[in-house]
Amino acid sequence: MKNSMKPKTLLLFSHGFGITYTNQTKIVPMKNIDVGLVAPKGSGTSVRKLFLDKKGINSSYAVFQDITGEAEAKIQAFGIAIGSGYLFKTSFEKEVYSDLTGERGVLMGALAGIIEAQYEVLRDNGHSPSEAFNETVEELTQSLVPLVGENGMDWMYANCSTTAQRGALDWAPKFKKATLSVFKSLYSEVKNGNEAKRTIDKNGDINYRKDLEKELEELGTREIWQAGKIVRSLRS
C-alpha cells in the first residue's frame, strides 16, 4: 500500500482481518496516515435495511494508527454516518478474534450443527419432516430469537411455559459442558492464526469456487432445508 494514499488521510477497514493477520495478508498501511475500523455487527443487507428503517445497527470501532490526532473522532463520525445505533470501542485484534469465533460458533457453525442434530434425533424417532423442522427451526427463528433480541434470555426464562422453563434450566448446563471445550479450541485456532490461514488457503485454491458450489448444493438438498422451504411457503 506504499504511496497509495495522501499523507494524513484515513484508511478505514470494516474488519480486523487484514491488519491482525498481516503476516499472511501482507497488508501493511503507510506510516503517515490514520488507520481505523468500523465493523457493523451484521450483514451488509442488514446494515442497509436498518439504515433505511432509521433504526441503525450496533458497530464496533477501533483506532490502529493516529497520525493527525483526530482519527478516533473521524472513525466515530463514519460509524454514525452508516447508521450505527451504538458504537463500542475495541481493537483490531479483539474485533477479528470475536468475529471469527462468532461466525464459526453461535452465529453460524454451532447453530447449524445443533439444529441438524436435534432435527436428526426427532426424525429418527418417527417425527415428520414438518414437525421436526417446526420444533427445531421455525419456532426458534419466528418466535424465540426475536423475543431474546428484544428482551434478553433472562426474560425468556422468566416468561416461558413451566415445562420450557424447567427443561431449559436443567439442560442448559449440560449443553454448555458439551460445547465449552469446542469453543475454547475454536478461539485458540482463531487467535493463533490457523483459522485465518485455513480461510486464505481455501479461498486461494483454484478449484475453490467449484468445490464450494458442491458443498452448498449438498447443504441445500438436505431434507431439513427442503422441509424448511415448504414450511416457509405456508406462512400466512
Side-chain angles (χ1 to χ4, degrees):
M1 298 183 66
K2 187 177 181 181
N3 301 323
S4 60
M5 294 182 66
K6 293 180 180 180
K8 297 184 178 181
T9 52
L10 172 65
L11 174 62
L12 197 63
F13 291 83
S14 61
H15 201 285
F17 193 99
I19 292 293
T20 300
Y21 303 114
T22 184
N23 289 337
Q24 299 182 58
T25 64
K26 309 304 179 186
I27 296 176
V28 181
M30 299 159 57
K31 297 296 184 183
N32 60 350
I33 61 173
D34 292 339
V35 181
L37 158 74
V38 174
K41 299 295 102 179
S43 67
T45 301
S46 299
V47 174
R48 182 59 178 166
K49 183 179 186 301
L50 290 171
F51 179 86
L52 293 175
D53 291 344
K54 294 181 172 57
K55 294 179 179 179
I57 191 168
N58 292 346
S59 302
S60 61
Y61 78 94
V63 179
F64 180 76
Q65 200 166 270
D66 187 1
I67 299 301
T68 64
E70 301 175 345
E72 185 164 4
K74 289 187 287 186
I75 294 165
Q76 289 177 339
F78 187 88
I80 293 169
I82 65 172
S84 300
Y86 172 72
L87 284 164
F88 60 93
K89 193 171 184 178
T90 185
S91 67
F92 271 66
E93 284 188 345
K94 281 187 166 52
E95 191 282 327
V96 73
Y97 293 166
S98 61
D99 187 74
L100 294 190
T101 299
E103 289 171 345
R104 288 146 182 76
V106 170
L107 302 181
M108 290 286 285
L111 182 62
I114 63 171
I115 281 175
E116 292 201 13
Q118 178 172 300
Y119 181 88
E120 185 175 315
V121 168
L122 291 176
R123 291 289 287 124
D124 287 348
N125 282 276
H127 297 271
S128 68
S130 177
E131 183 172 48
F133 186 87
N134 272 283
E135 294 294 345
T136 302
V137 180
E138 193 74 353
E139 189 172 355
L140 170 71
T141 58
Q142 299 304 299
S143 177
L144 301 186
V145 167
L147 288 173
V148 172
E150 184 177 341
N151 303 298
M153 199 68 199
D154 54 334
W155 182 92
M156 284 298 301
Y157 274 107
N159 290 275
C160 63
S161 67
T162 55
T163 54
Q165 184 181 63
R166 187 68 264 153
L169 287 169
D170 292 342
W171 279 87
K174 298 178 182 180
F175 280 107
K176 180 180 178 179
K177 183 178 180 180
T179 59
L180 188 58
S181 63
V182 179
F183 277 100
K184 287 181 177 180
S185 175
L186 167 58
Y187 191 86
S188 177
E189 288 291 284
V190 168
K191 189 173 182 179
N192 65 23
N194 287 345
E195 193 61 27
K197 184 179 186 304
R198 188 178 299 114
T199 301
I200 293 171
D201 289 346
K202 279 282 188 180
N203 282 274
D205 190 294
I206 192 172
N207 296 314
Y208 179 66
R209 178 56 59 182
K210 290 183 178 180
D211 292 341
L212 176 63
E213 289 176 356
K214 290 179 181 178
E215 288 181 291
L216 296 180
E217 182 180 3
E218 190 278 325
L219 177 66
T221 55
R222 290 177 192 171
E223 182 190 90
I224 180 174
W225 304 119
Q226 290 298 308
K229 289 181 180 179
I230 296 172
V231 171
R232 286 192 296 274
S233 71
L234 297 174
R235 291 177 189 165
S236 59

